[in-house]
Structure formats: structure tokens, C-alpha cells
Amino acid sequence: LINPGIYSERVIIDSIQGTATSPIVLIAKDPNNKPHFLDGILINHSSFIIIKSLEVELQKTEKVGAIRILGSNHVTVTDSYIHDGGENYSANIIIAFSDQNIGEDKNGYHLIQNNIISDETSSPKGKKFTHKYVKGKTYYGIKLDDFPGGYNTIRGNTIYGVIDGIASGGDEKEQPVMTPDEENLLQTWTQQNIDIYDNIIIGSCQNAISIASVYPGPIFILRNYLYGFHENAAKMNTKGQEVTRNIYWYHNTIKQIEEASNCVLRGNPGLTNNIVFRNNILEATTKPIDTYTFETEVSHTNHSFDYNLLYTKKSEAQFAWGDKIETRKIYNSFYEFQHGTLQDFGIMQEENGIFAKPLLDLTPIKGYSIKNGIISLELLKNSPGIDKGIIIKGINTNFKGKRPDIGAFELE
């Protein structure tokens, strides 16, 4: 148990091994008065570590990351306030180098849950917030990179004020690739590389969820609430020539603010394959789905969008689709997008999709002290998304009506 107070020295947990029944625990004595660590926590070559009910930041900018989890496994970070994790390409939580784990198992098995993760230095506090990089700004909320290993779960976190809310990636091109069977995902759900679900990523992020480096997947992105991003809610591209693949977006609610870029970007440079969107709400002020690439070779393959509820205020240039620079097409309506993708690329996108205003509850949620604010975004009773989703075994079988509702919230 850790007493309340301010702790200026860095916490280093190096080569310390707990067990599943006897983990190493750092926990606040009083969860309502969190101990405040000013110079971060480093967990290196260790296992079965629990960080609970702490406040952690990084005031010495020559270091990178408020909580760094390197070459370790079975680390849980929960119910904590993690913020201002350094500048440049730093992160509040970094997970990397699971290939250096002690022992033969190179998976991560990390759990990041129920935390508030933010950049406060360049968030409101009397100054106009910028979502772009400025000196002292934390780039990532949660960053998985450089072999983060499999079986990692990110759930129930509230993230704001950083550039990219969650960046899930890592160069693991030598690892076996699992391509789930959409008819029954239950088994794969227990064998996934990454889960990202039930997170709230709100105002002032540049990109909500960014998959911008090589990762074989599968990555499940389920029931997240993404609102207030300034560029893209779902940004999928790579920096190299390997393939980002097997990304499954299910039941997310994405609402774009004015002057943001896109809800979904299939970007450039890089290659993507087997990207699936089902039962998501994509409410845009620009394009719900965009494809942007300078590649002369085919770069986006085997993408499947269907049973989503989409809307944009734009009266033309509503969608863009393509697999290389020469084939990028602009579609001026939802009908054009459906039938144009069939004619131009051989597969109709959003054959069972709905183009309509989602009709979301915009009531602020009480009890949050976060300056950015959180609104409900649940479906109103007359929403066109009610009972219009597709059943996905192992994902949404506990629905309330005739069929699952579209979006992150099932209407009671």
C-alpha cells in the first residue's frame, strides 16, 4: 500500500517476477487520494505486475513515457490517472519489446483498463487547446510498438488531449497471422493479439485510434466511443512496406466535429488487407469513409464495409474509395458509393448499410470533471440504427431487440 503524497523519484521495476496467484502490486492506500509520481514508472523484464489507483506523469522530458512496459508480460494498469508523459513521440503508456521477455512465451498479456489518460499541459487550463504537436505535448495516449506481443487488452479508458489516442501496432511480421472466421469469432476472441473496447476517446485528439505501423492482427476494436477528434477517428496506414491486416471494427460510435478530416481513413503510405467494419455509426461532417494513397501498386485489398450507419452533411464528394492512386474514385452519394464500388472494384460496399442521420443523444453526462466534456451519444428511441445490426457470434449475441443495435450502445 502506498501512502498519499508526491514522489519525485522514478519507480523502476526491473527483472522482478510475480506470479498469477502472487503478483507484485503497487496500489494506493486511499484510492480517493492517489499517490502522485512525478517521474514515471519503468517496468522492465518483469511479470505479473499490478499498478492501481496511482497518478503518474513524467516531468523530466529527456525520458519518454509516463509508464513504460518493456520486455515484460502480465502487467495490469488500472484505475489510475496517467498524464503528460513527455514530449516528441512520447506516450503516457508504452508497451514494447515483448520479444525480449524472459522465457519462451513472447506475448504481452497486458491489461490497460479504467484509466484517465491525458495531456494536461497543452489541454485547456486557461489556454486555447491545439490538437497539433507543440513543445511539451504528449503524442500518444497508449502506444503499442516494436513487438508489443499478443493478448493485450485496452478497455474502459477515457483518453483526451493527446495527438493519437490509441496507436496499436508493432513490427511483428515474422509472427503467424490469424484470419478469423466471421461466422464464429468466439474462439478467436480468446486468441487475439489486441482488444480495444469500451474506451472513450474524446475532444482534442488529432486521431482517435491510429493503426500506423505493421501488425498482423487480428485486432478487435469494439464498442468504443470516439468524439471530438480533429483529423481521423480510424486512421489505418503504415510507414513501411509490410501489410497492416486483420483489423475488425465492430459496434463503435464515431461522431465527427466540424472541420475534422474523416471518420475512417485508409491512408498512405503503406499496405492494408482484410479490414472489416460492421455495425458502426460513422457520423461525419466531411467523408465517413475516405481512401487516400499515392501508391502506384495495389495498396488496399480485401476490405469489407457493411451494416454500418453512415451520415454526412456534405451534399457531394461524400465517399472516396480505391486501391491505388490511379483507381481512387469520388462518389457524390451513398447510392453512388454502393453501386460504384461494385462496378469499379467488383464488390459492393455497404450493401446493407444505412445512410441517415443517426439521431444520437447529445446530453452531457453528469459526474465527469474533464474539461473536454462527455456527451451521451446513445441512440434516441427513433434512431434508424435500432435493431439494424448484423448478429456476430461471440460479439453481440446479448442484444435486446429483434437484432443488435448499430453503434457502441445497445438501447435498453
Side-chain angles (χ1 to χ4, degrees):
L1 295 176
I2 303 174
N3 289 318
I6 296 176
Y7 297 82
S8 60
E9 296 298 318
R10 194 175 203 205
V11 175
I12 299 177
I13 302 172
D14 189 15
S15 301
I16 297 177
Q17 316 306 322
T19 66
T21 56
S22 184
I24 309 300
V25 181
L26 279 68
I27 185 173
K29 185 175 183 180
D30 177 6
N32 296 316
N33 192 2
K34 292 180 173 60
H36 187 175
F37 293 86
L38 300 179
D39 201 29
I41 296 175
L42 170 63
I43 302 171
N44 188 51
H45 293 141
S46 298
S47 61
F48 293 99
I49 309 295
I50 298 176
I51 306 294
K52 185 172 183 179
S53 300
L54 306 183
E55 178 177 353
V56 185
E57 64 175 305
L58 185 69
Q59 292 190 351
K60 296 181 180 179
T61 57
E62 68 270 16
K63 297 189 179 77
V64 179
I67 296 180
R68 302 178 70 194
I69 303 170
L70 309 178
S72 299
N73 60 74
H74 294 95
V75 175
T76 296
V77 180
T78 184
D79 300 304
S80 293
Y81 174 35
I82 304 152
H83 60 97
D84 299 292
E87 57 180 326
N88 296 324
Y89 283 91
S90 62
N92 286 311
I93 299 178
I94 297 173
I95 298 173
F97 305 133
S98 288
D99 56 330
Q100 299 176 18
N101 288 357
I102 296 173
E104 295 183 1
D105 193 342
K106 304 303 181 183
N107 286 301
Y109 307 102
H110 302 304
L111 173 60
I112 312 298
Q113 70 171 2
N114 301 334
N115 303 288
I116 293 178
I117 297 171
S118 70
D119 182 283
E120 298 288 357
T121 302
S122 50
S123 291
K125 289 193 174 176
K127 297 181 180 180
K128 184 178 179 181
F129 178 85
T130 174
H131 63 281
K132 297 182 179 179
Y133 179 75
V134 294
K135 184 175 177 57
K137 185 173 181 61
T138 309
Y139 201 99
Y140 301 103
I142 302 172
K143 174 65 170 171
L144 297 93
D145 202 3
D146 294 322
F147 209 111
Y151 305 91
N152 298 305
T153 299
I154 300 169
R155 71 183 183 206
N157 302 285
T158 299
I159 303 173
Y160 65 95
V162 294
I163 302 290
D164 285 3
I166 298 174
S168 55
D171 187 352
E172 302 195 25
K173 59 187 178 182
E174 301 302 325
Q175 295 300 297
V177 177
M178 292 184 293
T179 303
D181 177 2
E182 260 202 288
E183 292 300 315
N184 190 347
L185 288 165
L186 185 59
Q187 181 178 2
T188 309
W189 181 260
T190 65
Q191 297 176 343
Q192 78 286 4
N193 280 319
I194 300 178
D195 287 348
I196 299 174
Y197 65 97
D198 291 341
N199 297 285
I200 298 173
I201 305 178
I202 61 172
S204 307
C205 288
Q206 182 169 329
N207 300 293
I209 297 178
S210 176
I211 302 171
S213 54
V214 176
Y215 202 94
I219 298 176
F220 291 94
I221 301 174
L222 173 71
R223 297 195 185 279
N224 298 284
Y225 153 11
L226 312 178
Y227 171 72
F229 53 93
H230 290 256
E231 286 195 359
N232 308 287
K235 177 187 175 189
M236 292 173 289
N237 66 312
T238 69
K239 295 180 180 178
Q241 291 303 310
E242 299 300 328
V243 182
T244 294
R245 56 220 186 258
N246 300 327
I247 316 297
Y248 295 82
W249 296 77
Y250 295 128
H251 284 288
N252 299 283
T253 294
I254 299 174
K255 181 175 174 58
Q256 187 181 37
I257 62 173
E258 296 290 338
E259 300 179 358
S261 298
N262 306 284
C263 286
V264 176
L265 176 67
R266 309 183 320 149
N268 175 84
L271 310 174
T272 62
N273 179 53
N274 195 34
I275 309 297
V276 177
F277 275 72
R278 296 285 186 272
N279 297 347
N280 301 284
I281 292 174
L282 307 178
E283 182 175 353
T285 56
T286 55
K287 295 183 182 70
I289 302 170
D290 195 3
T291 302
Y292 196 68
T293 178
F294 293 114
E295 303 293 337
T296 57
E297 302 295 329
V298 173
S299 55
H300 300 302
T301 56
N302 194 28
H303 288 204
S304 178
F305 287 64
D306 205 2
Y307 289 94
N308 300 297
L309 173 56
L310 310 100
Y311 181 74
T312 177
K313 298 193 300 183
K314 289 171 65 70
S315 59
E316 58 184 11
Q318 293 182 345
F319 297 88
W321 194 266
D323 51 21
K324 57 183 177 179
I325 188 170
E326 294 90 347
T327 63
R328 184 174 186 260
K329 302 283 187 178
I330 301 295
Y331 301 106
N332 291 316
S333 70
F334 186 57
Y335 180 87
E336 281 190 20
F337 176 63
Q338 289 176 305
H339 294 271
T341 50
L342 176 61
Q343 178 179 335
D344 299 330
F345 302 97
I347 298 176
M348 180 181 288
Q349 301 297 331
E350 293 297 349
E351 181 176 3
N352 301 286
I354 301 171
F355 186 83
K357 195 171 180 60
L359 301 178
L360 302 173
D361 185 356
L362 304 182
T363 304
I365 296 176
K366 295 180 180 180
Y368 280 90
S369 61
I370 298 171
K371 294 181 177 64
N372 304 68
I374 298 179
I375 58 179
S376 171
L377 291 187
E378 293 186 9
L379 298 174
L380 296 175
K381 292 183 178 180
N382 58 339
S383 170
I386 294 174
D387 292 347
K388 295 298 173 55
I390 185 174
I391 297 172
I392 306 170
K393 294 179 181 178
I395 298 293
N396 61 3
T397 51
N398 294 325
F399 55 90
K400 303 292 193 299
K402 296 178 181 178
R403 284 167 51 186
D405 296 339
I406 296 176
F409 305 101
E410 182 76 14
L411 192 67
E412 297 294 334

